[in-house]
Structures are given as structure tokens and as C-alpha cells.
Amino acid sequence: MFIGHYAPALIAAACPKAPRLGALFVAAQLVDFAFFGFVALGIEHARLVPGFTVMNALDLYDMRYTHSLAGTLLFALGWLAIARLAGSAWVTAMIGAAVVASHWFLDLLVHAPDLTIAGSGSRYGFALWNHPMIEMPLEIALTAAALGFYLVRTRPHGRAGILAPSILATALAFVQVINWAEPQPDRVIDPAPLAQSLLALAVFTALALLAAWTGRSRIPRLGPRLRTL
Ligand SMILES: [Zn+2]
């Protein structure tokens, strides 16, 4: 799951009390921000194994802190605490925390069994990455439906209100297609290349910035935003 992670962010952003869309894009990928940062620092580990799944070579064998259910929920709690300290209303902070937590459940659909409940023991994952004819339409449909919902529930604020979401949608489609088209390596690469982690962090950041621009250019139809993150 890549751009599909942004579906909960787009749906939540239609709520006037939600954090801004840029913040929600960070929330949706918060544990992957941490994961690729931890991999770069050698705290968590991944390697590339040709054919590990049909769709990619990611052998995510050590994600104990970021992608255990307990770890993800701790990230969500951390979001809640920081948002409250920053002055967000409870409901705003909780919407953001729920989007952080959604990451683990969407990963559960696609990952090979590599997700844990508390960092060790049984591993879970329904491995849709082995079924591209299911995974690809599902991810596209999920993201497109969420973006459509967001656009219907908000209205443009000036010309940017049309331009920004158009560029965001194009960027989401572009990075997903590049991600799917990336050829598998012909040998095991252990650890996964540092450049891959840095690229992932750069792409997540760029998408969050585009989402922030989009969020500023759209106004919820239900009324003024209340507290924002
Ligand atoms: Zn993830």
C-alpha cells in the first residue's frame, strides 16, 4: 500500500474539525516516515529479495517499532499528545490519531506476513502484493474514491482550488505508477539501499507539501474549520 494510505487522510479532511490536509498526509504515513528513517539509521531493517512478493522485492523483516500494532498505536498516541500540546481540540487531535493508526490496517491488506502485534511472535499480512490484479485496482479505487469524496465535500477557494488538487492527483498517480513499474533487483540487496529510504522520505514530504497547498485552497462545505493543527 502506497498512495492508498492517503485515502483515510482525504476522507477525514472533508470534516470541518479535522486537521489540515497537509498534516493528515503526514499522519497517514507517519509510521512509514519513522520506518524509512529507522532503516536509514539502522534501528529497523529491510532487504530486497527478488520475487519476495509478486509486486515488489521488499523483505520487511524487522519493523518491530513502527509496524507492530502496539508501535503504530503508540505513534497515534504520540500524535494525539503533540496535537493537544499544540492547542488542537480533542476531536481534531483524535481524527489525526485515527489516521495515523489506519496505516497499520491498510498495510495488513497488502504486506506479506511481516506485521506483528507487539514487535515479535506471530506475523500477519494478507499479502495482496502477490495478487496485483486485486491490489492495483483496489489501491486506485480507494484513493480515487477518497479524493472524489474530499472534492465533493469541499469547494475551491480561488483558482488554486482547482489547480492544487489536480496537481496532487497527478502526483499521486505518477508516484504510484513509478512505484509499480520499478523492476525487481536480480540479486539480494541486504540491507536495502540507503537511497531508497531517502527517496521515500522525499516523496512523502513532497506529497504532504502538495496536500498542504490543496488543503489551503479548499473550503469545507459544512462550515468553517474549527481548530486546526
Ligand atoms: Zn507502512
Side-chain angles (χ1 to χ4, degrees), residues 1 5 29 31-32 35-36 60 63 66-67 103-104 107 111 115:
M1 192 65 63
H5 281 301
Q29 292 286 22
V31 296
D32 268 4
F35 171 67
F36 286 108
L60 306 164
M63 307 190 292
T66 57
H67 284 71
H103 185 102
W104 191 89
D107 269 356
H111 277 218
L115 300 165

Side-chain angles (χ1 to χ4, degrees), residues 209-227:
L209 289 172
L210 274 177
W213 180 34
T214 301
R216 279 200 303 273
S217 73
R218 309 280 306 179
I219 301 167
R221 289 191 188 276
L222 298 177
R225 285 179 189 279
L226 299 179
R227 303 294 286 271

Side-chain angles (χ1 to χ4, degrees), residues 10 13-15 147-157 161 165 214-215 217-222 225:
L10 287 159
C15 171
L147 181 60
F149 179 78
Y150 172 74
L151 292 175
V152 166
R153 296 294 290 267
T154 59
R155 59 186 169 84
H157 178 63
T214 301
S217 73
R218 309 280 306 179
I219 301 167
R221 289 191 188 276
L222 298 177
R225 285 179 189 279

Side-chain angles (χ1 to χ4, degrees), residues 114-137:
D114 54 24
L115 300 165
T116 59
I117 299 300
S120 59
S122 300
R123 289 168 176 259
Y124 302 92
F126 301 137
L128 285 184
W129 276 338
N130 284 326
H131 303 279
M133 298 314 283
I134 299 172
E135 203 284 338
M136 292 164 82

Side-chain angles (χ1 to χ4, degrees), residues 54-77:
V54 170
M55 291 180 66
N56 62 58
L58 288 170
D59 180 4
L60 306 164
Y61 66 95
D62 176 22
M63 307 190 292
R64 68 188 77 185
Y65 303 114
T66 57
H67 284 71
S68 59
L69 180 58
T72 299
L73 293 178
L74 276 177
F75 275 92
L77 270 179

